[in-house]
Amino acid sequence: MTHPIPRTRIQEKNRARVLEAALEVFSRAGFRGATLDAIAGEAGLSKPNLLYYFASKEDIHVTLLEGLVDRWLDPLREMRAEGDPQAELLAYVRRKLQMSRDFPRESRLFAQEIVQGAPRIGAGLSTDLKALVDEKAGVIQAWMDAGKIAPSDPHHLIFSIWSLTQHYADFDVQVRAVLGEGRDPIDEAEGFLETLFTRLLTP
Amino acid sequence: MTHPIPRTRIQEKNRARVLEAALEVFSRAGFRGATLDAIAGEAGLSKPNLLYYFASKEDIHVTLLEGLVDRWLDPLREMRAEGDPQAELLAYVRRKLQMSRDFPRESRLFAQEIVQGAPRIGAGLSTDLKALVDEKAGVIQAWMDAGKIAPSDPHHLIFSIWSLTQHYADFDVQVRAVLGEGRDPIDEAEGFLETLFTRLLTP
DNA sequence: GTCTATAACAAGATAGAC
DNA sequence: GTCTATCTTGTTATAGAC
């Protein structure tokens, strides 16, 4: 990696511009489908200038994914063992759904990486991710054992929250096509998912 | 399209070989990430021979998707208004989960097409797909109105079945990384999803 | 730091022999 | 029908002037 960590303010700002543009293009077209031309155009820079700030196309992609994973798991990290179990889980669902509304491009970027077998972030999945999920699954299991929420498999409960919320970002085109014009999918999902998880979790 | 509908048995067989190989490669790498070289290698044919059977790379991809959409919706079509509501819905969930087990590559191919905005099958979504879903949502609504199952939004109920079942095919890598070795994700999902939908649907 | 020009290569598609 | 060789285009990346 010949490109050093940026030090000046202008470098940091231009790197951010590139990453914003790259997020837009990568999330729409995938890694191979995205071209440096498209990213450069979106960023309002020339193609060589792009490669002044990043070593390669792959460097941009990896930088994007690394910055993403942490933020992606924040809603789960915030779940507190000390809080009211059902309220904590429902709040987690709302936070996660909110991310589908606020960061759909990030969700789609991540989805494509996973669907393709996580070729670029595979390692972190079985270590960092697994550790966090196992910990939180333990908290949920304790809640179930105490009779605070109805019993089910904690790991699959977490999977269900991921899939149900991310669906509205990743499959947005399909959801909108089916619902038709003039409906706000995520707005409706909020009520539906509250109903679903309330019925699932109430002892 | 200069390539005619195949008539001989050997043509049909070779086209099938190409499609099988293409499914493998496209589902792993996406449309742009897949190369004709990779598909040819997987099929055991030369690259020009591939293009003897299909007009272009896109032709292969479109053929694959067209053959897929119909089969993909079969489990929903089989849902009968005359049956027991809860049993019909739970059976639909089981059929859909079974497809994630039996046809994960098809699921991932479809997922990538949708995530990228359905550039190649977009049209069909708002017509055929919407029509079928609207019809079945009507059936579900009638069941709810009759008090046979607990009320919720029928469209989002169908979305939830899609997302929860397809998750185990599309995010397989992540699910396995989190669960660790020696567990059968879909086997476990069967029990979890039966619990989830029973609690959601029971009046 | 940013640009124009271009090198180097990968990949879709075709020509033409067999 | 199938192959080897090749054309052509698009794309990543670099060279070098400013």
Side-chain angles (χ1 to χ4, degrees):
Chain A
M1 202 74 65
T2 62
H3 292 232
I5 305 287
R7 310 188 183 283
T8 74
R9 204 166 292 119
I10 189 154
Q11 277 179 339
E12 201 44 73
K13 191 174 170 206
N14 273 338
R15 276 178 65 98
R17 267 173 74 190
V18 172
L19 289 175
E20 156 65 26
L23 173 60
E24 181 69 29
V25 177
F26 279 135
S27 68
R28 260 195 278 112
F31 179 74
R32 278 295 251 77
T35 67
L36 290 182
D37 264 322
I39 298 173
E42 185 82 24
L45 296 173
S46 71
K47 196 162 44 167
N49 205 2
L50 226 69
L51 295 168
Y52 171 79
Y53 288 104
F54 290 89
S56 66
K57 180 181 174 179
E58 175 139 6
D59 183 22
I60 302 176
H61 195 249
V62 169
T63 303
L64 221 40
L65 280 174
E66 280 174 355
L68 176 60
V69 175
D70 259 358
R71 199 205 298 184
W72 214 238
L73 289 171
D74 277 341
L76 181 55
R77 276 198 205 88
E78 290 175 34
M79 205 175 67
R80 309 296 309 157
E82 300 78 32
D84 174 69
Q86 192 159 331
E88 287 289 328
L89 280 163
L90 285 174
Y92 173 40
V93 172
R94 274 193 300 275
R95 284 195 297 272
K96 200 75 178 62
L97 187 61
Q98 193 59 33
M99 298 199 72
S100 283
R101 185 196 289 278
D102 295 342
F103 308 107
R105 299 175 305 176
E106 283 84 344
S107 187
R108 286 193 278 268
L109 182 75
F110 188 70
Q112 296 190 67
E113 170 72 8
I114 301 294
V115 167
Q116 298 194 0
R120 277 169 269 267
I121 58 161
L125 290 181
S126 9
T127 57
D128 301 354
L129 176 63
K130 179 170 169 42
L132 175 64
V133 174
D134 281 346
E135 178 211 326
K136 296 301 184 181
V139 171
I140 294 172
Q141 185 65 59
W143 288 339
M144 290 174 179
D145 292 343
K148 304 286 190 184
I149 53 176
S152 61
D153 185 296
H155 283 96
H156 289 269
L157 175 57
I158 291 173
F159 294 154
S160 74
I161 294 173
W162 291 350
S163 71
L164 286 165
T165 55
Q166 291 172 191
H167 187 79
Y168 289 94
D170 302 343
F171 289 73
D172 177 68
V173 173
Q174 190 181 45
V175 166
R176 287 181 191 280
V178 168
L179 289 181
E181 297 292 319
R183 296 178 66 170
D184 183 338
I186 295 190
D187 210 55
E188 299 180 10
E190 209 168 326
F192 175 79
L193 293 183
E194 183 172 332
T195 298
L196 186 154
F197 283 105
T198 299
R199 290 185 191 158
L200 174 60
L201 297 173
T202 301
Chain B
M1 202 72 69
T2 62
H3 293 233
I5 306 287
R7 310 186 182 286
T8 74
R9 201 166 294 116
I10 190 155
Q11 277 178 338
E12 202 44 73
K13 190 173 172 208
N14 272 339
R15 277 179 64 98
R17 266 173 74 189
V18 172
L19 288 175
E20 157 64 27
L23 173 61
E24 181 69 30
V25 177
F26 279 135
S27 69
R28 260 195 279 111
F31 179 74
R32 282 296 249 75
T35 66
L36 289 181
D37 266 322
I39 298 173
E42 185 80 25
L45 295 173
S46 69
K47 194 163 45 165
N49 205 3
L50 226 68
L51 295 168
Y52 172 79
Y53 288 104
F54 290 89
S56 65
K57 180 182 175 180
E58 174 138 8
D59 183 23
I60 303 177
H61 194 251
V62 169
T63 303
L64 221 38
L65 279 174
E66 280 174 356
L68 176 59
V69 174
D70 260 359
R71 198 206 299 182
W72 214 238
L73 290 171
D74 276 342
L76 180 55
R77 276 198 206 87
E78 289 176 34
M79 205 175 67
R80 309 297 306 158
E82 300 77 32
D84 174 69
Q86 192 159 331
E88 286 290 327
L89 280 163
L90 285 174
Y92 173 40
V93 172
R94 274 193 300 274
R95 285 195 296 272
K96 200 77 179 59
L97 186 61
Q98 193 60 32
M99 297 199 73
S100 283
R101 187 196 289 277
D102 295 342
F103 307 107
R105 299 175 305 175
E106 283 85 345
S107 186
R108 285 193 278 266
L109 182 74
F110 188 69
Q112 296 192 68
E113 170 71 8
I114 301 293
V115 167
Q116 298 194 358
R120 279 169 269 269
I121 58 162
L125 291 181
S126 9
T127 56
D128 301 354
L129 175 62
K130 178 169 168 44
L132 176 64
V133 174
D134 282 345
E135 179 210 324
K136 296 301 185 182
V139 170
I140 294 172
Q141 186 64 58
W143 288 339
M144 290 174 179
D145 291 343
K148 303 287 190 184
I149 53 175
S152 61
D153 184 296
H155 284 97
H156 289 270
L157 174 57
I158 291 172
F159 294 154
S160 74
I161 294 173
W162 290 350
S163 71
L164 286 165
T165 55
Q166 291 172 191
H167 187 80
Y168 290 94
D170 302 343
F171 289 74
D172 177 67
V173 173
Q174 191 182 42
V175 167
R176 287 182 190 279
V178 168
L179 289 182
E181 297 291 318
R183 296 178 66 170
D184 182 337
I186 295 191
D187 211 54
E188 299 179 9
E190 209 168 325
F192 175 79
L193 293 183
E194 183 171 331
T195 298
L196 186 154
F197 282 105
T198 299
R199 291 185 192 158
L200 173 61
L201 297 172
T202 302

